[in-house]
């Protein structure tokens, strides 16, 4: 275990003591958000990103350790475990290198080489390789066996015996771990990924034309960007592209042979690498032609396909890591987007023939009204739609209009603009509610349909039509993106690149971690949070989250964090993990609305005693709190780092780490791509980010791409 600790420490550039402390906490059932926030003393301040990497590597290295032990045991039971082999296995840094070493000792089906060995031909193979000056045909005479004497093989002729030599040597060399690994690394550095259009495919067909860039494409495999690798692999999976690993050309730069002379057969560079590793070269000796044939057979029959497969796997895994990171970063940005807060929102889910679905939610997110209007084809009831929407806005005092970015989004955005003009014209000067303050914003509706048909949506809005639930979700996304989007499977939110092509379990694991980190970074209102939101809080399972909501429904709002211990299934350990991330506004103890953990309330009592001020007067008093020395309040259990965090929380109690809400304003008169002119400066909303740049919605029906080379 100490080896694992040291390796992780070196990888994430921290001390072994920090890693050991984090591992002990993780093994004890602590969550990453809890350790990152409330156990900084123990880990020396490891943040959630470092802890996530530590957690992932810990799992991988423990699996590697278990596999290592199983392989050592299996080889030892065969009586073939030498001290050198043990040392190599114990030093193998990856699962693939471990399997390379184990390959010669794996139980496998009876091979041609094995049959030749059973026929007693191995001494001939070793003799010819050790001394190529021997005549292969003459030496093979002594090894000819009567037909039918060897089960599964025929060695009744000299050529058959020499084929047996070839099979024995090529199998042995193909299982040489050092050779296999060096070939892999050489091809990773020098080989090309090449793709071509499959024969018989119509390049003008829409599904095929998407891959036009890859009809005749090659690039050094070790430098292929993530999005291009995944595009090639997708084209291959769809039987549109042929993809293969190509070696460097051994004749590159050489003079072509004269026209009257045929070019000599040149062994591939990979075959040359094998020969060099074996310390053999063709010197015109009697056995050299046979050995060259064995070397060629080793590459072409035994290693070329498996090496291509291994490198394609490596390329795919590397590409997937990048794609998953892009997805995770986009999801984090979306979840931590600025919340509009407790404002009344009119949600519009655009549609053409089926109409625009309308939902109004109040400041708490409660659905208070719904409607369907038909401003577009075929009804074209523009004025009637404006009248209905104006009535809803006036009735409920709407502050914001959220417009889904799907089909007919731009047309519906114009409808909202006309609605705002109509409301300003018809507003009563003495009314408390002013339409002049209304703002409209286009929001992503990705995943809204998934949510609408979900079991949770039917529980939240049991008597509401499925199509109208989407409009409510769009409205709530503006109020609090995090609280609404946690109700949806992260993979359905649609902010990724090639999300269906990557490892789905790894994608799910990464995205779940992002959601958990975001929820706990912001904190959750214990008295308003939904079950999906609560279930993302550190330490709370879905079952406990349901119990919390049931308790709330039965007993009313929580007055203090201690009441959590009255919830069925929520014990001391769960309380420790979750309490600091749960907020109670207007409760018995002002500290319950902050990120100060209940276990550190005694430290706050010390601060109260020192300052002579009650906690309510301390909170928000930055000038007073900055004069306090954290060292005065530190003790054996809670050190200076923790005290600094407590003082920081008291300075800005219940602060939200998300940015302030701001609406991107589309330029007047720019409603179509034809309205764009060179040199225009436009404001827009980033709708998606990929490895090659960012897509921006400017309000012209088509998102624009800002290439990565143009981003500062």
């Amino acid at each position: 275990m100490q080896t694992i600790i040291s390796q992780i420490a070196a990888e994430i550039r921290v001390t072994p003591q920090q890693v050991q402390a984090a591992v002990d906490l993780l093994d004890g059932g602590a969550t990453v958000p809890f350790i990152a926030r409330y156990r900084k003393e123990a880990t020396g301040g490891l943040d959630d990103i470092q802890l996530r990497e530590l957690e992932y590597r810990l799992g991988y290295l423990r699996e590697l350790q278990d596999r290592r032990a199983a392989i050592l045991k299996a080889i030892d039971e065969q009586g073939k475990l030498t001290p050198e082999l043990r040392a190599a296995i114990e030093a193998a840094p990856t699962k693939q290198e471990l399997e390379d070493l184990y390959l010669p000792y794996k139980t496998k089906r009876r091979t041609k080489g094995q049959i030749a060995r059973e026929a007693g031909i191995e001494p001939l193979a070793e003799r010819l390789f050790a001394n190529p000056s021997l005549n292969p045909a003459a030496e093979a005479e002594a090894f000819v066996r009567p037909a039918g004497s060897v089960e599964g093989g025929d060695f009744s002729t000299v050529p058959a015996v020499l084929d047996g030599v070839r099979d024995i040597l090529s199998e042995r060399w193909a299982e040489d771990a050092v050779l296999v690994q060096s070939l892999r690394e050489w091809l990773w550095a020098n080989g090309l990924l090449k793709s071509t259009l499959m024969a018989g495919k119509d390049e003008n067909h829409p599904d095929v034309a998407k891959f036009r860039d890859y009809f005749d494409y090659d690039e050094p495999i070790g430098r292929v960007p993530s999005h291009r690798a995944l595009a090639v692999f997708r084209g291959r999976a769809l039987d549109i592209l042929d993809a293969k690993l190509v070696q460097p050309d051994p004749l590159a730069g050489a003079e072509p042979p004269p026209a009257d002379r045929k070019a000599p057969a040149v062994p591939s560079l990979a075959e040359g690498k094998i020969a060099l590793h074996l310390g053999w070269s063709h010197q015109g000796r009697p056995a050299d032609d046979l050995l060259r044939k064995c070397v060629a057979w080793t590459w072409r029959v035994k290693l070329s396909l498996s090496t291509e497969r291994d490198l394609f796997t490596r390329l795919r895994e590397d590409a997937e890591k990048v794609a998953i990171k892009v997805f995770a970063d986009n999801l984090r940005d979306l979840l931590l987007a600025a919340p509009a807060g407790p404002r009344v929102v009119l949600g519009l889910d655009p549609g053409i023939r089926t109409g625009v679905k309308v939902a109004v939610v109040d400041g708490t997110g409660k659905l208070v009204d719904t409607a369907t209007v038909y401003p577009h084809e075929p009804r074209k009831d523009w004025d009637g739609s404006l009248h209905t929407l104006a009535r809803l806005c006036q009735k409920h005092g709407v502050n914001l209009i959220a417009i889904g970015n799907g089909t007919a989004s731009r047309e519906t955005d114009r409808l909202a603009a006309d609605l705002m003009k109509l409301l300003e014209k018809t507003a009563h000067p003495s009314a408390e509610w002013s339409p002049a303050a209304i703002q409209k914003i286009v929001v992503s509706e990705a995943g809204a349909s998934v949510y609408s048909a979900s079991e949770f949506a039917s529980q939240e809005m049991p008597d509401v039509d499925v199509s109208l639930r989407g409009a409510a979700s769009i409205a709530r996304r503006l109020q609090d993106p995090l609280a609404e989007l946690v109700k949806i499977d992260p993979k359905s939110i649609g902010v990724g690149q090639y999300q269906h092509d990557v490892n789905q379990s790894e994608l799910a694991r990464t995205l779940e971690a992002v959601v958990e980190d975001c929820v706990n970074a912001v904190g959750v209102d214990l008295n308003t949070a939904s079950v999906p939101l609560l279930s993302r809080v550190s330490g709370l399972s879905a079952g406990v989250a349901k119990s919390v909501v049931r308790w709330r429904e039965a007993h009313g709002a929580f007055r203090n964090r201690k009441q959590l211990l009255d919830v069925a299934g929520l014990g001391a350990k769960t309380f420790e993990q979750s309490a600091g991330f749960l907020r109670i506004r207007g409760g018995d103890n002002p500290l319950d609305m902050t990120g100060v953990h209940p276990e550190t309330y005694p430290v706050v009592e010390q601060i109260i005693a020192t300052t002579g001020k009650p906690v309510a007067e301390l909170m928000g008093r930055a000038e007073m709190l900055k004069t306090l020395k954290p060292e005065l309040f530190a003790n054996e259990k809670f050190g200076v780092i923790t005290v600094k965090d407590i003082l920081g929380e008291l300075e800005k109690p219940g602060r939200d780490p998300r940015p302030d809400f701001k609406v991107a304003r589309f330029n007047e008169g720019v409603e179509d791509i034809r309205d764009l002119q060179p040199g225009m400066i436009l404001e827009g909303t980033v709708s998606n980010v990929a490895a090659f740049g960012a897509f921006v919605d400017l309000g012209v029906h088509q998102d624009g791409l800002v290439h990565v080379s143009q981003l500062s």
Side-chain angles (χ1 to χ4, degrees):
M1 187 61 194
Q2 285 309 308
T3 306
I4 291 177
I5 298 294
S6 300
Q7 185 173 339
I8 295 173
E11 287 175 358
I12 64 174
R13 297 187 178 91
V14 297
T15 67
Q17 291 78 10
Q18 287 176 285
V19 175
Q20 184 67 64
V23 170
D24 291 344
L25 286 163
L26 288 167
D27 287 346
T31 67
V32 166
F34 175 78
I35 299 169
R37 185 77 170 268
Y38 297 114
R39 290 296 179 264
K40 291 179 182 176
E41 244 91 33
T43 68
L46 294 182
D47 61 29
D48 54 352
I49 295 170
Q50 291 171 306
L51 287 164
R52 289 290 178 196
E53 179 64 16
L54 185 155
E55 184 181 41
Y56 171 75
R57 290 297 290 159
L58 179 65
Y60 178 90
L61 293 173
R62 279 177 167 169
E63 287 175 9
L64 182 67
Q65 190 178 49
D66 291 344
R67 182 63 179 150
R68 198 190 316 275
I71 286 173
L72 286 168
K73 183 182 177 189
I75 299 175
D76 194 29
E77 286 172 351
Q78 295 174 31
K80 298 176 180 177
L81 186 61
T82 64
E84 295 78 17
L85 180 57
R86 177 186 288 277
I89 289 171
E90 287 178 345
T94 66
K95 291 178 182 177
Q96 186 172 58
E97 290 183 35
L98 198 55
E99 297 302 330
D100 288 341
L101 291 165
Y102 182 42
L103 184 61
Y105 308 96
K106 258 185 179 173
T107 304
K108 41 188 173 290
R109 62 179 177 79
R110 200 156 162 259
T111 64
K112 287 183 178 180
Q114 196 172 343
I115 293 168
R117 280 194 295 274
E118 290 168 4
I121 294 170
E122 191 165 26
L124 173 63
E126 290 176 348
R127 196 183 307 163
L128 292 173
F129 180 60
N131 185 6
S133 299
L134 298 172
N135 185 310
E139 297 291 327
E141 289 284 358
F143 292 87
V144 173
R145 303 285 182 263
S149 64
V150 180
E151 184 186 346
D154 179 9
F155 301 99
S156 59
T157 65
V158 166
V161 170
L162 294 179
D163 282 350
V165 169
R166 177 202 66 198
D167 292 332
I168 289 169
L169 291 178
S170 62
E171 279 186 23
R172 180 186 298 174
W173 297 338
E175 292 178 350
D176 181 332
V178 175
L179 170 61
V180 171
Q181 288 161 17
S182 66
L183 274 174
R184 263 198 224 113
E185 291 309 311
W186 172 73
L187 279 166
W188 184 256
N190 299 283
L192 298 176
L193 171 67
K194 182 173 180 61
S195 70
T196 53
L197 180 66
M198 285 185 78
K201 294 292 178 182
D202 177 8
E203 62 182 61
N204 296 314
H205 187 283
D207 292 337
V208 176
K210 294 176 186 175
F211 296 92
R212 191 175 302 282
D213 290 348
Y214 304 98
F215 288 174
D216 184 17
Y217 157 83
D218 62 65
E219 189 166 5
I221 188 168
R223 300 202 294 274
V224 177
S226 167
H227 57 284
R228 287 209 279 274
L230 292 174
V232 169
F233 287 134
R234 178 184 285 182
R236 187 173 71 151
L238 295 172
D239 291 329
I240 293 170
L241 299 176
D242 268 327
K244 58 185 177 180
L245 177 66
V246 181
Q247 293 182 56
D249 183 357
L251 295 176
E255 289 289 327
D260 60 344
R261 194 185 312 159
K262 186 180 177 183
V266 178
S268 71
L269 290 179
E271 291 166 29
K273 291 283 179 185
I274 294 170
L276 186 64
H277 174 79
L278 297 171
W280 168 86
S281 63
H282 198 299
Q283 298 172 26
R285 295 164 294 189
D288 278 340
D289 281 346
L290 172 65
L291 293 175
R292 179 165 63 188
K293 183 179 177 182
C294 294
V295 168
W297 196 265
T298 302
W299 171 248
R300 294 173 190 174
V301 176
K302 299 292 183 183
L303 288 177
S304 61
L305 288 177
S306 63
T307 303
E308 179 182 87
R309 184 177 64 247
D310 291 344
L311 293 188
F312 276 12
T313 299
R314 178 175 172 181
L315 177 61
R316 177 182 282 282
E317 287 175 353
D318 288 354
E320 287 181 355
K321 283 177 188 172
V322 173
I324 289 171
K325 184 180 184 303
V326 168
F327 199 137
D329 290 346
N330 288 351
L331 179 63
R332 182 178 289 105
D333 290 342
L334 192 60
L335 293 175
L336 295 180
R343 305 197 209 179
V344 181
V345 183
L346 177 78
L348 301 178
D349 187 358
I352 298 180
R353 288 181 302 98
T354 55
V356 177
K357 303 299 185 289
V358 185
V360 182
V361 297
D362 68 12
T364 67
K366 180 183 176 184
L367 180 64
V368 292
D369 218 331
T370 61
T372 303
V373 296
Y374 299 89
H376 313 309
E377 297 282 356
R379 296 196 195 181
K380 294 187 178 179
D381 184 17
W382 194 267
D383 292 339
S385 300
L386 286 175
H387 175 76
T388 301
L389 295 176
R391 180 179 55 78
L392 289 171
C393 289
Q394 290 162 345
K395 178 181 176 183
H396 300 289
V398 167
N399 308 122
L400 287 170
I401 302 172
I403 305 156
N405 67 344
T407 305
S409 174
R410 294 274 57 87
E411 294 85 348
T412 305
D413 185 60
R414 283 199 292 273
L415 179 73
D418 284 0
L419 170 65
M420 290 162 68
K421 291 172 187 172
L422 175 65
L423 288 169
E424 285 186 35
K425 283 180 188 174
T426 58
H428 197 281
S430 61
E432 291 182 17
W433 167 78
S434 170
I438 291 182
Q439 294 174 298
K440 63 180 174 70
I441 183 169
V442 176
V443 300
S444 169
E445 62 178 45
S449 58
V450 174
Y451 162 74
S452 300
S454 69
E455 182 184 350
F456 185 74
S458 65
Q459 292 170 357
E460 272 195 318
M461 296 177 275
D463 303 321
V464 179
D465 186 81
V466 171
S467 61
L468 291 166
R469 291 173 188 165
S473 178
I474 287 167
R476 288 173 178 165
R477 288 177 189 206
L478 213 49
Q479 291 178 320
D480 191 336
L482 180 61
E484 190 61 23
L485 292 172
V486 293
K487 301 172 186 175
I488 302 165
D489 177 358
K491 288 186 285 186
S492 299
I493 296 175
V495 289
Q497 184 188 2
Y498 294 101
Q499 69 190 67
H500 301 295
D501 298 284
V502 302
N503 182 306
Q504 294 300 294
S505 60
E506 183 61 24
L507 176 64
R509 183 192 71 81
T510 304
L511 299 185
E512 290 295 327
V514 168
V515 175
E516 183 182 27
D517 289 344
C518 289
V519 168
N520 290 286
V522 172
V524 170
D525 189 322
L526 183 56
N527 286 320
T528 61
S530 64
V531 170
L533 188 56
L534 285 168
S535 65
R536 307 289 187 163
V537 171
S538 165
L540 296 187
S541 64
V544 174
K546 288 177 183 174
S547 296
V548 169
V549 172
R550 279 198 296 269
W551 192 97
R552 197 171 69 198
E553 289 168 349
H555 300 89
F558 285 87
R559 297 294 306 164
N560 57 69
R561 284 169 167 165
K562 287 181 184 175
Q563 288 179 303
L564 282 165
L565 292 166
D566 297 333
V567 174
L570 201 157
K573 183 69 178 178
T574 305
F575 180 83
E576 176 195 61
Q577 296 295 307
S578 63
F581 303 103
L582 296 167
R583 310 278 186 266
I584 299 174
R585 303 186 190 284
D588 300 335
N589 187 340
L591 290 175
D592 287 349
M593 70 167 282
T594 72
V596 177
H597 197 286
E599 67 184 7
T600 60
Y601 285 2
V603 177
V604 180
E605 288 168 9
Q606 280 184 267
I607 296 171
I608 292 169
T610 301
T611 60
K613 301 283 185 184
V615 68
E617 289 186 28
L618 280 174
M619 289 167 65
R621 296 283 298 277
E623 70 289 343
M624 178 195 294
L625 292 165
K626 285 184 188 300
T627 64
L628 301 177
K629 293 183 178 179
E631 297 82 5
L632 295 175
F633 308 101
N635 55 42
E636 289 182 4
K637 191 173 181 183
F638 304 113
V640 172
I641 298 175
T642 300
V643 176
K644 283 181 178 176
D645 282 351
I646 292 169
L647 293 172
E649 279 291 332
L650 293 176
E651 279 183 35
K652 296 181 178 178
R655 69 179 180 272
D656 192 322
R658 294 174 288 183
D660 293 332
F661 181 72
K662 183 186 175 188
V663 177
R665 297 190 177 277
F666 295 142
N667 291 39
E668 289 293 330
V670 179
E671 297 177 351
D672 190 275
I673 201 161
R674 287 169 294 192
D675 298 329
L676 297 176
Q677 299 295 328
M680 277 184 168
I681 296 176
L682 304 167
E683 190 170 291
T685 302
V686 176
S687 57
N688 204 354
V689 179
F692 48 80
F695 291 94
V696 182
D697 180 4
L698 300 170
V700 294
H701 302 274
Q702 178 73 48
D703 287 359
L705 172 66
V706 183
H707 193 265
V708 67
S709 62
Q710 302 301 310
L711 293 168
S712 61

